[in-house]
Amino acid sequence: MRLYSVPLSPFAARVRLSIYRKGLNIEIVPPPEGGIKSEAYLNLNPMGQIPTLVSDSGFALPESATILEYLEDAFPTLSLRPIDPQDLACARLILRLPDFHILPSVFTLRGMRDPAKRDREVVKTQFEALDRGLSYIEHYLSGDPWAVGDRASIADHALVPVINVVNLIGSSFGQPDLIGKYKKLDAYWQAAKTDEINAKVIAEQLAALEMPTIKIVASVAKSAFAD
Ligand SMILES: N[C@@H](CCC(=O)N[C@@H](CS)C(=O)NCC(=O)O)C(=O)O
């Protein structure tokens, strides 16, 4: 099996977290030559997005949330799904909330990191939307060091890479502590960073900022966290 991934993408990072935590033998590879809009890649993932998981039989699965669930079904040992139905529902909620309420603003703001390209009104509106998104997570977080219950779950895998990119985007606009006002979220992040697997993926995301080869991917993936 292999996972097409780029280091900084919060969508790819959440899948890498599951792969590492479950100790799966899945090769993690960059997009093929030609990038994510090449014919070869579009044959695997017609949306032309990262990540894509490809099984040994050639089954190619896009969409990070779906991939996380597939990994749970295909490799149930060391389950990352809470057992209690209510906890599981909360984990799935926390998995999805950033996609609707945080990452769209992060990506828009990312396109405006250059002060010359900033529209003040858009920046203001997007930071407000991002803040609302963080408040939703605060509402549903059940504690620390894990987002739901007393062990790692798919919710943590969605959340950790997202907080990392929220911090990065805040820093590029002179607001490095966007989560500080949210007590549960802040405590969660402080604890989450000390977990070895989380720390590995956080470091991979941060290291990507220094990698010149990532720029090749970024020229294709306009909205990606990849340049
Ligand atoms: N809903 C998708 C989103 C994936 C996504 O947007 N990936 C970005 C990388 S961070 C990408 O490939 N962007 C390029 C594009 O959308 O054309 C998922 O959860 O996997």
Side-chain angles (χ1 to χ4, degrees):
M1 251 189 211
R2 65 186 184 281
L3 177 78
Y4 287 100
S5 167
V6 293
L8 189 51
S9 160
F11 304 108
R14 60 177 62 157
V15 180
R16 295 201 306 278
L17 274 166
S18 276
I19 291 172
Y20 298 153
R21 202 174 297 282
K22 289 166 95 68
L24 301 177
N25 183 19
I26 295 179
E27 194 187 1
I28 294 169
V29 295
E33 218 177 300
I36 57 177
K37 304 299 178 195
S38 65
E39 202 183 330
Y41 192 78
L42 290 173
N43 279 336
L44 296 171
N45 178 339
M47 282 80 81
Q49 293 183 322
I50 287 290
T52 304
L53 181 76
V54 185
S55 77
D56 293 342
S57 65
F59 170 58
L61 188 63
E63 286 298 325
S64 57
T66 311
I67 296 172
L68 291 189
E69 297 280 5
Y70 171 76
L71 292 178
E72 289 311 296
D73 292 326
F75 305 100
T77 313
L78 205 147
S79 170
L80 297 169
R81 276 191 190 122
I83 293 160
D84 176 76
Q86 193 171 312
D87 283 352
L88 178 55
C90 281
R92 286 183 169 142
L93 191 59
I94 290 174
L95 171 58
R96 300 315 311 276
L97 286 177
D99 297 11
F100 299 123
H101 299 288
I102 295 178
L103 290 174
S105 298
V106 168
F107 287 124
T108 304
L109 289 164
R110 177 165 167 77
M112 295 188 174
R113 277 175 314 157
D114 177 356
K117 292 188 188 153
R118 269 177 209 174
D119 175 325
R120 280 180 174 222
E121 199 45 44
V122 175
V123 169
K124 181 172 172 285
T125 321
Q126 292 302 320
F127 269 108
E128 284 165 2
L130 175 50
D131 185 57
R132 272 196 303 280
L134 293 173
S135 76
Y136 303 152
I137 302 290
E138 175 78 357
H139 183 89
Y140 288 104
L141 260 187
S142 70
D144 60 87
W146 308 115
V148 174
D150 58 2
R151 59 190 173 92
S153 75
I154 50 176
D156 300 287
H157 292 183
L159 206 46
V160 166
V162 168
I163 300 175
N164 204 21
V165 296
V166 164
N167 288 341
L168 287 171
I169 209 70
S171 297
S172 33
F173 283 81
Q175 302 182 54
D177 193 22
L178 292 172
I179 65 167
K181 71 188 219 200
Y182 293 109
K183 263 188 149 176
K184 283 194 286 176
L185 190 53
D186 192 39
Y188 170 79
W189 176 240
Q190 299 313 326
K193 284 190 293 189
T194 66
D195 170 73
E196 200 183 336
I197 306 283
N198 289 343
K200 175 177 162 75
V201 170
I202 290 168
E204 286 175 356
Q205 285 187 292
L206 296 178
L209 298 171
E210 310 300 327
M211 282 171 67
T213 51
I214 295 301
K215 289 187 174 140
I216 299 163
V217 179
S219 64
V220 190
K222 285 201 302 292
S223 66
F225 262 95
D227 65 355

